[in-house]
Amino acid sequence: MTATTVRAVLFDTFGTVVDWRSGIASAFDTVAARHSSRLDSVHLADAWRRRYAPSMQRITSGDRPYTDLDTLHRENLTSVLAEFELPFETSEADVYDLVHAWHELAPWPDSVPGLHALKAQYTIGPLSNGHTALLLEMAKSAGLPWDLIIGSDLTQAYKPDPAAYLRPAAILGLAPAEVMLVAAHNDDLRAARDSGLATAFVARPLEHGSDQSIDLEAESDWDVVADDIVHLAELLHPRLAR
C-alpha cells in the first residue's frame, strides 16, 4: 500500500474519533444530578459498553435482523439498569437522554484538525456501527468535517461482517484496496484487512481509562501506525504536515 493508492480514508468512530467513555459517564452524571443523586458513572459507562459487541453479534450471526444502534443501546441500557440498583428510578426522559448521549460525544483533541488535514487530499467519512442519523448528529455536535456518512443502516451490516467494510467501498465506486480504515482497535483492522482494505492504527491509550490494557499499540504490520489523526495526515501526505 502507498498513500497514492488510497482514495478514501474512513474511520472507526467510537473510541477512535470520539471519546465515548467520558461522554457517557458525563451523561450518567447529568441524569443523577437531575435526581439530586450521585452515581459511579464511569463504572456504568463501562458496563453499558461491554454489551455493545455481544448485542451486534446476534445480528452478524444471522440470529436477528438488522436493528439500529439506538435500539441496541436502549435494550442494553435496560439490562444495565436492571443489573445495577440505582438510588433513584429512571424516567423515560432519563433513558432518552442517555441513549441520545451517543449522538453527542466529544472528539479527541486531534480529531477535528487531523480530519481537516486529511480532507484536503482524501474523501473522508465514518466506517462505524452507528446509523446515519446518529453519525450525522454526532458530526454536527463534534464538528467532524465528513465528506459523506454511510451508516450501518445503509450497509445493513455491523463490523466485523465483511459487508460492513465492502459495501461502503462499493457505494463509493472504489476497490477495497482504495479504501483505508483508520481504527484504534486491532480486531477491527484485522477484519478490514481480511476484506481487502488498507489499514491504519491510531493509538487511543485512554479510551478505556488510565488502566487500559488492550489496544495500547499496533499488534500487526498495519499499513500505517500513527500517534493520532494529525500524525496520520502527516504520514499519509507529508505536505499536510503541521
Side-chain angles (χ1 to χ4, degrees):
M1 192 282 305
T2 64
T4 56
T5 66
V6 171
R7 297 175 60 188
V9 181
L10 305 183
F11 289 78
D12 169 71
T13 305
F14 298 109
T16 301
V17 177
V18 297
D19 177 4
W20 64 266
R21 191 174 191 251
S22 297
I24 298 306
S26 178
F28 275 113
D29 285 337
T30 298
V31 166
R34 184 182 298 160
H35 294 273
S36 302
S37 187
R38 299 183 66 182
L39 296 172
D40 186 346
S41 57
V42 170
H43 185 58
L44 288 166
D46 288 341
W48 195 1
R49 178 69 174 187
R50 281 195 296 273
R51 289 162 172 77
Y52 178 84
S55 66
M56 290 183 293
Q57 174 57 33
R58 290 189 57 212
I59 296 167
T60 302
S61 68
D63 289 343
R64 181 180 186 180
Y66 173 82
T67 306
D68 71 37
L69 199 53
D70 276 352
T71 302
L72 297 181
H73 275 151
R74 177 178 281 266
E75 292 172 357
N76 294 338
L77 177 61
T78 298
S79 297
V80 170
L81 296 178
E83 180 180 350
F84 298 93
E85 292 187 11
L86 303 191
F88 55 84
E89 184 174 348
T90 53
S91 66
E92 177 57 30
D94 295 331
V95 170
Y96 174 86
D97 288 349
L98 287 167
V99 171
H100 197 264
W102 292 93
H103 296 223
E104 298 181 335
L105 299 172
W108 297 106
D110 59 276
S111 292
V112 173
L115 291 176
H116 275 291
L118 286 163
K119 186 181 174 77
Q121 184 70 19
Y122 302 97
T123 296
I124 63 168
L127 199 166
S128 170
N129 290 320
H131 49 289
T132 303
L134 183 159
L135 294 169
L136 178 59
E137 285 197 63
M138 179 190 293
K140 293 287 190 182
S141 174
L144 306 176
W146 302 131
D147 289 310
L148 79 166
I149 294 172
I150 301 171
S152 62
D153 51 323
L154 300 182
T155 64
Q156 293 284 292
Y158 283 123
K159 299 183 287 183
D161 186 335
Y165 305 98
L166 295 175
R167 287 178 186 161
I171 289 170
L172 291 171
L174 299 176
E178 294 178 299
V179 177
M180 171 176 280
L181 175 69
V182 182
H185 312 119
N186 287 280
D187 57 352
D188 196 359
L189 294 175
R190 288 188 193 96
R193 183 168 62 185
D194 289 346
S195 297
L197 274 64
T199 54
F201 178 82
V202 170
R204 295 298 187 201
L206 296 177
E207 178 188 355
H208 297 279
S210 58
D211 294 330
Q212 180 167 323
S213 60
I214 60 171
D215 292 320
L216 295 174
E217 59 185 18
E219 296 174 3
S220 189
D221 55 341
W222 310 123
D223 295 303
V224 180
V225 175
D227 297 332
D228 58 30
I229 297 176
V230 171
H231 186 214
L232 175 68
E234 295 171 358
L235 293 173
L236 285 181
H237 208 279
R239 74 176 179 80
L240 302 179
R242 50 191 152 191

